[in-house]
Amino acid sequence: MKAVEYDVAVVGGGPAGLAAAIAAKEGGAEWIVIIERDIRLGGILEQCIHTGFGLTYFGEELSGPEYAWRFIEKVEAMGIHVELKSMVLSIDRDPLVIHAVNTNGTFAIPAKAIVLAMGCRERTRGAIAIPGSRPAGIFTAGTAQRFVNIQNRMVGKRAVILGSGDIGMIMARRLTLEGTEVVAVLEIMSYLAGLTRNRVQCLDDFGIPLYLEHTITEIKGNSRIEGIVAAKVDQNNQPIPGTEFNIDCDTLLLSVGLIPENELSKTVGAEMDSITAGPIVDHNMQTNIPGVFACGNVVHVNDLADNVSRESTLAGRAAARFAMESYRPQASQMVQIKAGKNVRYVVPQKIDLASGEEFVNVYFRVSNPDKCVQIYGAVGEQIFSKKNKPLVNPGEIESLKLSVDEIRAANCSCVCVNAEKQGGVQA
Amino acid sequence: MKTREITCIICPSSCRIIVTGDENGIQDIQGYSCNRGIDYGQSEFLAPSRMLTSTIRAEGYVTPLISVRTDKPVPKEQMHSCMKEIHAAVATAPFTIGRVVIENICGTGSNVVLTNC
């Protein structure tokens, strides 16, 4: 294949990549390519057949494939080039070149700007080290979702789900409707990992028991899983002896977290955040490598696809500006955004004061659930952009709108984002 | 007269809506933060219904199944009978989003429509 230089090359054709490519085109970039490893665009949305997508982005409730189609239609109409069934292997810097492979062999795609939109993958049994035998019948929730929703394969007759993440709860409902008995959802933490509305409509609606502060201490069975041993855990998440009980099952789904997929980001030298496991980005979603942007679940695991689309629009627009040479970030104008009280991480991790916006939204997850919380930015003793929130939960992403003028006036190098119990803050 | 606490499922805010009334009507509703929350609280109290999403066998499609949903929520207690009708059906081309593949499923007044293409 002839190596044509693209203005913007997008790695990944899921919600992040689609929104970024459209925004790049709307932002004036002419030659855009999306490189996708699957046989069609849409990414994981293709198997997310449940509704709940689009409430904030389109103001209506859509299923995953419908939500994806809104973007795919636009990508096609805009004449954005798409390379399907193509896997990116590595990315060079100075100059930026993507190396990929498909059935025709390997090929290179030089680009003025690159958007990393590879999404995330599921944490597996190996990552959480459940003791016991290694029989068949243990799936990550997303793998089971793909079997059931795309490939027309049932995973089992009697299932236990470990982890109360959204995909796990959604699969509890899906399996129940398809005739599998879901006997328990176990969650090691004292609170739900996913969205409350999913507990209501996926577990409560079908009478599926949720065991908080419980984990699996043993997997039984030789060729096929025959059951698990569950136990209550203490404050350090250690099983409490004497609390064990058996649950018979032929299937175990793991919904124990997602990991941003950043092998490629590392090949180009992107600096990573150890908490999010994604690249460190500024508020235009640019990594530390000039011209390399990142968005969606590759940066941090989002709760809603709508948030991914919004964030990816910023990345696509900025990538177009970079490709047209109308935007270059200034290291001297960068202010760090750091996680403060009860905040686990903040994205973006940097704000470029020179880029012209009046306000910048930052997104974060809290470390622990809390009620009657004040969310605010702080520079030393100085507090700004304060707002109240009746309830915060690590499962749901929070946001704070920061005024760039206020940050500039504070003449600081770092702003902390805090989520503190009301009353703890001096006005 | 009874009072029920309902967790709204319309958006991630998960508002706690407190509804007081009986089967004939609602006396009081509190705790919502938008109009859709009022609607949800009322219908959840009087006649709970859910949007049903599933897949249907598809002949001549790129994968063995294509995703579907009801175009309106169906009564909660009829979800399993609706699933039986969905399992028995087969969709054929043209595969376009929004095309009705089962009309008036289980007499609920809701149609089953394709959500992929």
Side-chain angles (χ1 to χ4, degrees):
Chain A
M1 184 187 282
K2 204 176 141 222
V4 187
E5 187 182 51
Y6 283 95
D7 293 328
V8 178
V10 179
V11 184
L18 291 167
I22 291 166
K25 188 79 180 184
E26 285 171 348
E30 199 175 348
W31 299 101
I32 302 165
V33 63
I34 299 174
I35 308 153
E36 165 58 46
R37 62 186 170 188
D38 206 346
I39 58 166
R40 57 194 291 181
L41 292 173
I44 215 70
L45 289 171
E46 289 292 306
Q47 67 186 60
C48 299
I49 62 164
H50 53 279
T51 53
F53 299 89
L55 279 164
T56 59
Y57 202 80
F58 293 114
E60 53 184 308
E61 191 169 10
L62 303 169
S63 66
E66 289 170 296
Y67 184 85
W69 181 246
R70 296 275 171 109
F71 294 89
I72 295 170
E73 230 178 354
K74 231 171 165 176
V75 162
E76 288 178 355
M78 285 175 154
I80 291 168
H81 191 77
V82 179
E83 289 285 351
L84 294 173
K85 295 190 271 181
S86 299
M87 182 88 178
V88 175
L89 302 173
S90 67
I91 303 170
D92 291 345
R93 59 184 291 196
D94 305 323
L96 294 173
V97 181
I98 290 174
H99 298 283
V101 64
N102 62 19
T103 50
N104 298 324
T106 59
F107 57 102
I109 299 178
K112 291 177 184 153
I114 290 172
V115 180
L116 304 171
M118 294 85 74
C120 59
R121 59 167 173 255
E122 294 179 278
R123 193 168 279 147
T124 60
R125 180 181 173 185
I128 54 167
I130 310 172
S133 56
R134 306 182 67 82
I138 304 171
F139 305 88
T140 57
T143 301
Q145 190 178 45
R146 190 166 185 93
F147 277 132
V148 174
N149 291 350
I150 304 232
Q151 296 178 350
N152 201 14
R153 294 280 182 265
M154 278 304 285
V155 287
K157 294 193 173 73
R158 199 177 145 87
V160 168
I161 298 176
L162 178 64
S164 62
D166 290 314
I167 315 168
M169 292 194 283
I170 282 160
M171 281 311 292
R173 170 177 65 184
R174 182 76 186 118
L175 290 180
T176 306
L177 287 171
E178 288 293 340
T180 300
E181 189 188 356
V182 179
V183 287
V185 174
L186 308 172
E187 169 58 53
I188 195 164
M189 303 306 285
S190 58
Y191 50 85
L192 200 70
L195 303 173
T196 311
R197 64 170 170 166
N198 283 331
R199 193 206 69 221
V200 173
Q201 60 184 345
C202 298
L203 305 186
D204 299 356
D205 269 7
F206 300 97
I208 298 168
L210 169 68
Y211 297 88
L212 294 174
E213 297 177 305
H214 277 76
T215 192
I216 292 177
T217 55
E218 192 187 341
I219 287 172
K220 296 193 214 173
N222 292 314
S223 57
R224 177 88 191 187
I225 180 170
E226 287 165 10
I228 58 119
V229 178
K232 198 168 177 5
V233 296
D234 63 19
Q235 286 171 335
N236 302 317
N237 293 341
Q238 295 304 308
I240 303 171
T243 63
E244 297 90 352
F245 56 97
N246 293 312
I247 304 177
D248 292 339
C249 62
D250 63 8
T251 305
L252 172 63
L253 299 196
L254 304 176
S255 176
V256 291
L258 301 166
I259 309 167
E261 198 163 334
N262 276 297
E263 281 66 26
L264 279 179
S265 319
K266 289 171 191 164
T267 66
V268 74
E271 192 189 343
M272 308 294 287
D273 180 323
S274 61
I275 306 290
T276 58
I280 292 172
V281 291
D282 65 25
H283 74 278
N284 284 308
M285 308 308 291
Q286 184 161 233
T287 67
N288 62 311
I289 311 294
V292 177
F293 299 77
C295 55
N297 283 358
V298 85
V299 174
H300 64 131
V301 175
N302 280 261
D303 51 352
L304 301 175
D306 298 52
N307 289 342
V308 168
S309 302
R310 177 197 39 70
E311 174 180 295
S312 304
T313 300
L314 296 177
R317 202 182 292 147
R321 281 169 66 196
F322 188 94
M324 296 183 299
E325 297 183 2
S326 58
Y327 168 63
R328 288 292 179 273
Q330 303 294 321
S332 61
Q333 294 284 326
M334 287 286 182
V335 169
Q336 308 283 323
I337 309 297
K338 293 237 156 95
K341 288 167 191 148
N342 197 25
V343 172
R344 197 156 68 87
Y345 71 77
V346 187
V347 167
Q349 293 91 340
K350 292 182 274 189
I351 291 180
D352 178 3
L353 296 180
S355 83
E357 284 87 352
E358 232 178 298
F359 293 98
V360 168
N361 282 308
V362 297
Y363 299 86
F364 62 94
R365 283 184 193 267
V366 295
S367 303
N368 295 299
D370 204 354
K371 285 178 183 168
C372 300
V373 171
Q374 279 186 330
I375 293 170
Y376 61 94
V379 175
E381 300 287 291
Q382 194 185 343
I383 282 169
F384 45 82
S385 308
K386 192 160 65 179
K387 69 170 190 181
N388 293 337
K389 188 88 209 240
L391 200 67
V392 291
N393 189 321
E396 296 174 18
I397 288 181
E398 301 294 339
S399 70
L400 183 64
K401 189 174 176 182
L402 294 173
S403 153
V404 174
D405 283 344
E406 275 179 12
I407 296 174
R408 198 179 286 116
N411 194 20
C412 59
S413 62
C414 175
V415 175
C416 269
V417 174
N418 303 277
E420 198 177 5
K421 195 101 185 153
Q422 278 172 35
V425 188
Q426 308 298 316
Chain B
M1 192 70 63
K2 57 182 176 177
T3 296
R4 260 189 68 197
E5 184 180 321
I6 291 166
T7 305
C8 185
I9 61 171
I10 299 297
C11 86
S13 300
S14 308
C15 295
R16 271 156 228 219
I17 305 174
I18 313 289
V19 187
T20 307
D22 56 28
E23 58 274 17
N24 301 317
I26 287 164
Q27 294 285 319
D28 187 40
I29 176 162
Q30 289 179 8
Y32 56 85
S33 31
C34 71
N35 288 334
R36 303 182 60 181
I38 304 180
D39 292 346
Y40 178 76
Q42 286 174 343
S43 78
E44 190 65 9
F45 187 86
L46 296 170
S49 64
R50 293 286 182 269
M51 196 69 90
L52 181 64
T53 60
S54 187
T55 51
I56 190 167
R57 275 182 295 150
E59 269 173 18
Y61 186 58
V62 285
T63 51
L65 299 169
I66 187 164
S67 56
V68 293
R69 68 178 168 96
T70 52
D71 57 1
K72 288 193 292 284
V74 297
K76 204 164 110 175
E77 69 277 5
Q78 272 181 278
M79 279 197 285
H80 285 287
S81 46
C82 288
M83 282 301 292
K84 277 190 190 146
E85 206 170 316
I86 288 172
H87 283 149
V90 178
T92 51
F95 299 106
T96 50
I97 288 179
R99 203 184 119 227
V100 175
V101 287
I102 301 174
E103 274 178 36
N104 188 19
I105 187 162
C106 293
T108 57
S110 297
N111 301 316
V112 174
V113 298
L114 297 179
T115 58
N116 209 341
C117 56

